[in-house]
Amino acid sequence: MKQEVQKTNVARLLDVAGIPYSLVPYQVDESDLAAAHVAEQLGEPLEQVFKTLVLRGDKNGIFVCVMPGDMEIDLKVAARISGNKSCDMLHMKELLPTTGYIRGGCSPIGMKKLFPTYIYESCLLYDYIYVSAGIRGLQLKIAPQDLIDFVGAGIYPL
């Protein structure tokens, strides 16, 4: 018997916008919230499972980078693409009050505010990518261009 997948706020927002997607559950490991674990659970290539990182720039405040699970954030590049001189990852304790999401369940869709969002250009190589559906244990399978259009994301590197 197939487990009923609970719709998240992310799914409801996409439904209202008429954007096609799939919700894909996976087994959460609280000690390993890395994208590699998620990709392994989904049976998908790591470079197709994107992570959502929230940063704070010295000039423009909060912004979001969505990048493949096999990449590490380059803070110099992140600062440059967001119009900042420097930036840092948002502190863990600030993530929930700022975005409405917890670590391991942070989606680029449906944050408390629409923050400037930048997605890595390799997303365009795929028919679909995965991003968090807004809770741990649930991924959103979506066409990259639909995600880009919905959140108004910029593509990087520029």
Side-chain angles (χ1 to χ4, degrees), residues 5-61:
V5 176
Q6 184 181 348
K7 281 220 170 169
T8 61
N9 190 42
V10 169
R12 287 187 283 279
L13 289 167
L14 292 172
D15 286 346
V16 168
I19 295 174
Y21 65 89
S22 301
L23 293 174
V24 184
Y26 67 94
Q27 197 65 43
V28 177
D29 178 351
E30 295 292 334
S31 66
D32 184 5
L33 298 173
H37 172 75
V38 176
E40 187 180 302
Q41 290 285 310
L42 298 175
E44 294 282 359
L46 181 55
E47 55 273 10
Q48 221 166 328
V49 176
F50 280 61
K51 53 192 175 186
T52 303
L53 304 176
V54 184
L55 301 100
R56 182 187 312 275
D58 64 333
K59 288 182 174 174
N60 300 327

Side-chain angles (χ1 to χ4, degrees), residues 27-122:
Q27 197 65 43
V28 177
D29 178 351
E30 295 292 334
S31 66
D32 184 5
L33 298 173
H37 172 75
V38 176
E40 187 180 302
Q41 290 285 310
L42 298 175
E44 294 282 359
L46 181 55
E47 55 273 10
Q48 221 166 328
V49 176
F50 280 61
K51 53 192 175 186
T52 303
L53 304 176
V54 184
L55 301 100
R56 182 187 312 275
D58 64 333
K59 288 182 174 174
N60 300 327
I62 306 293
F63 67 99
V64 178
C65 285
V66 182
M67 59 192 303
D70 63 342
M71 286 183 68
E72 290 297 319
I73 188 82
D74 180 330
L75 293 175
K76 283 184 173 56
V77 171
R80 181 178 55 78
I81 64 170
S82 63
N84 290 286
K85 277 202 183 313
S86 65
C87 66
D88 284 301
M89 293 291 295
L90 196 67
H91 289 290
M92 196 80 66
K93 66 182 188 304
E94 294 179 88
L95 192 61
L96 181 60
T98 303
T99 66
Y101 294 125
I102 60 170
R103 181 173 173 259
C106 191
S107 179
I109 298 169
M111 290 189 185
K112 287 183 173 184
K113 270 180 66 186
L114 187 58
F115 296 110
T117 301
Y118 306 90
I119 188 165
Y120 196 72
E121 65 186 357
S122 68

